[in-house]
Amino acid sequence: MSTTTPRRTSPWDRPLGSYQLVLGSSALLLGLGLIMVLSASSIYARFNYDGNSFAIIERQLIFAVVGLVGAYVAAHVPLRVLRKLILPFLIVSVLMILATFIPGVGIEVNGNRNWLPLAGGFRLQPSEFAKLALILWMADLYAKRRKQLGNPRLVLTPMVPVAGFVALLVVFQHDLGTALVLFALIIGMLWVAGLPGKQMGAMLAGLFVILVIAIANSPERVGRLLNFTDPESDPDFRGFQAIHGMMALARGGFWGVGLGGSRQKWGSLPEAHTDFILAVIGEELGLLGTLVVLALFAFLAVAGIRIATRTRDPFVHFAAAGITIWISIQAVINIGMVLGLLPVIGIPLPLISYGGSSLLVTLLAMGILINCAKTEPGAKRALAAGRANRGRSRVLQRS
C-alpha cells in the first residue's frame, strides 16, 4: 500500500501571487510616499503657501484619492472595454501635449513647457498620461499582430513613428527626463515584441543620436552632464543639488535621524519633496528605509514580469511588460540620480515623489496591472472562492 505526500505549494505558485504582490507593494509605496511628502514638504510649504505647512500634502492627497478611485475602476473594468478606450486616450494625450505649445495656455516650470492649468491652482502634465497611453496602444497593436511579429517591419510600424513622434514632442517641451523614459519604453517594447538584434542595434544607435542632439542643443544639459562625474567642481550651481542629496544620505547612516528630522529639507536641498525625495528618506529613515523602497520596487517588477510570463492573453502580456518597464526604468533613473550614479535630469520617483499627474497616472497603471493579474491561471477562481468564504464568514458571525 503506497501513500502519496501532498505536494507543497510555494507562494510563487499561488494563482493570486502576482495580484497580492502588486496590491501590497503599490499600497506600501503610496503610503510611504504620502508620509515622506508631508515630511519633506512641510517647511517649504510653510514659507511658500502663506504659512500652511500642509498645503502640498493636501494637494497630493487629492490626487491620491482620485487616483485610487481610478485604480479601482481600472482594476474591475473588462479588458475588452479598456481596449476600446485606448485610441481615444492616446489622441487626447497627444492633443494635450500640443496644447502646451499654445501661448497663454501652456505653463513653463523650471525651463520645461509641459504643464496645463487646471482650476484651483492645480496643474496637469500631459506627458505623464502619454506614457500610459503609449504602453496600452503598443500592447493592443502587438496583441492584434501576435502571429505576425516575426516580420520586423510589422514590429516597427506604425509603433516607432507614432511613439517617436510623441517622444519628440516631449523633447521639444525641454523635458528630457520624461523623453528618456519614453525612449526606454520604445526600446523595451521592441525587445518584448521580439525585434531581431540587427534592427534593435539600429534603433539604439538612432535614439543615441537623438539624445546627443537634444543634450548638445542645451548648454544647461551639457553642463549637468559634464558636472555629473565631479559635482564638487561647481558646488554652488550645477553640483549643488547632487552634493546636498549625498549629504542627506550620508547623515542618515543606517537607521536615519528619525522621521521629520531632516536638515536638508530646510532649503538646502532643491526639490526635496519631488525629484530628490529619496535623499530625505535616506536622511530620516536611513539606509534601512532606502532598502525598503528598493525592495518594494523590486517586488513590483517581479510581479509585473510574473504576470507577463504566466498570462495566456497577448494584450495582458504586452501591457504588463510595458507597465513594468516604465515603472522600473523611471525608478532606476531617479534612484541613480539621487545616488550620484546618473546625471540630474529631473524625474519623479513613482508613487513616492510629489506630483499629482505622476501619482494619478501611476495609480491608474497599478489598477490595470491588478486587472491583468486576474488573467493568470486560476486567479479568477481563487478570487471568487475568497469572496465566497468571506460571505460565509459574515453569515456565521450574524447567526
Side-chain angles (χ1 to χ4, degrees):
M1 179 175 170
S2 63
T3 59
T4 57
T5 304
R7 186 174 65 89
R8 290 185 178 182
T9 302
S10 70
W12 186 253
D13 294 327
R14 292 176 183 172
L16 291 180
S18 304
Y19 180 93
Q20 292 162 344
L21 268 178
V22 174
L23 190 61
S25 55
S26 58
L28 289 172
L29 284 169
L30 175 62
L32 178 62
L34 292 174
I35 292 170
M36 293 312 303
V37 167
L38 171 59
S39 177
S41 68
S42 56
I43 306 303
Y44 174 85
R46 182 172 181 83
F47 288 104
N48 291 274
Y49 288 87
D50 299 324
N52 182 7
S53 299
F54 302 101
I56 288 177
I57 188 60
E58 287 169 357
R59 290 167 173 257
Q60 189 77 340
L61 281 170
I62 291 172
F63 278 101
V65 170
V66 175
L68 286 171
V69 172
Y72 180 84
V73 174
H76 291 84
V77 66
L79 290 175
R80 65 179 183 278
V81 176
L82 178 67
R83 292 179 69 173
K84 292 178 181 178
L85 300 174
I86 290 173
L87 186 57
F89 182 31
L90 178 62
I91 293 172
V92 170
S93 299
V94 173
L95 290 176
M96 287 196 300
I97 292 176
L98 291 172
T100 63
F101 295 101
I102 300 174
V105 176
I107 299 174
E108 184 173 321
V109 179
N110 295 329
N112 298 342
R113 192 178 182 83
N114 54 358
W115 299 90
L116 292 176
L118 294 177
F122 288 91
R123 294 193 297 254
L124 200 66
Q125 188 174 356
S127 55
E128 291 291 338
F129 293 86
K131 294 176 188 175
L132 182 57
L134 275 176
I135 289 170
L136 297 177
W137 177 76
M138 289 186 282
D140 185 61
L141 175 69
Y142 287 149
K144 292 174 180 176
R145 294 182 173 183
R146 62 187 181 276
K147 296 181 180 179
Q148 303 169 301
L149 294 180
N151 185 339
R153 181 179 64 82
L154 294 177
V155 175
L156 290 168
T157 57
M159 190 277 257
V160 171
V162 173
F165 172 71
V166 176
L168 287 176
L169 285 178
V170 176
V171 170
F172 293 142
Q173 289 181 319
H174 305 293
D175 188 357
L176 188 60
T178 301
L180 187 61
V181 173
L182 290 173
F183 287 140
L185 266 176
I186 294 172
I187 294 297
M189 291 299 284
L190 289 174
W191 177 74
V192 173
L195 185 69
K198 184 177 179 180
Q199 286 83 358
M200 183 67 79
M203 284 296 304
L204 285 169
L207 290 179
F208 178 76
V209 170
I210 293 172
L211 285 174
V212 169
I213 294 173
I215 293 171
N217 284 334
S218 170
E220 173 64 21
R221 291 173 188 158
V222 173
R224 285 194 176 193
L225 186 63
L226 296 176
N227 181 260
F228 148 65
T229 55
D230 185 17
E232 294 183 0
S233 63
D234 190 5
D236 296 324
F237 183 45
R238 291 192 176 97
F240 186 86
Q241 193 174 25
I243 290 172
H244 282 268
M246 288 184 279
M247 287 172 62
L249 294 171
R251 182 170 179 261
F254 185 82
W255 298 107
V257 299
L259 191 62
S262 169
R263 290 180 182 174
Q264 294 299 324
K265 69 183 182 184
W266 283 76
S268 299
L269 177 64
E271 310 297 338
H273 58 291
T274 56
D275 301 339
F276 267 70
I277 197 168
L278 186 68
V280 179
I281 293 174
E283 185 177 6
E284 296 190 348
L285 303 183
L287 177 62
L288 180 62
T290 307
L291 291 176
V292 168
V293 172
L294 295 178
L296 290 173
F297 277 114
F299 290 149
L300 199 55
V302 166
I305 294 170
R306 189 175 188 267
I307 295 167
T309 53
R310 284 168 56 93
T311 186
R312 299 188 182 98
D313 187 322
F315 170 75
V316 170
H317 169 73
F318 289 110
I323 291 172
T324 304
I325 291 169
W326 160 33
I327 300 299
S328 301
I329 288 293
Q330 187 161 323
V332 165
I333 292 175
N334 179 276
I335 293 167
M337 179 181 72
V338 174
L339 296 179
L341 302 175
L342 293 172
V344 177
I345 57 175
I347 193 169
L349 188 59
L351 293 171
I352 293 184
S353 293
Y354 171 73
S357 299
S358 175
L359 180 61
L360 176 58
V361 175
T362 307
L363 286 173
L364 285 174
M366 292 302 100
I368 294 171
L369 200 56
I370 289 171
N371 202 340
C372 291
K374 296 178 185 178
T375 67
E376 287 192 29
K380 289 184 178 179
R381 191 163 53 250
L383 282 171
R387 284 193 292 267
N389 289 334
R390 287 193 295 272
R392 283 194 294 267
S393 298
R394 285 194 291 267
V395 170
L396 289 173
Q397 288 172 0
R398 292 171 185 169
S399 58

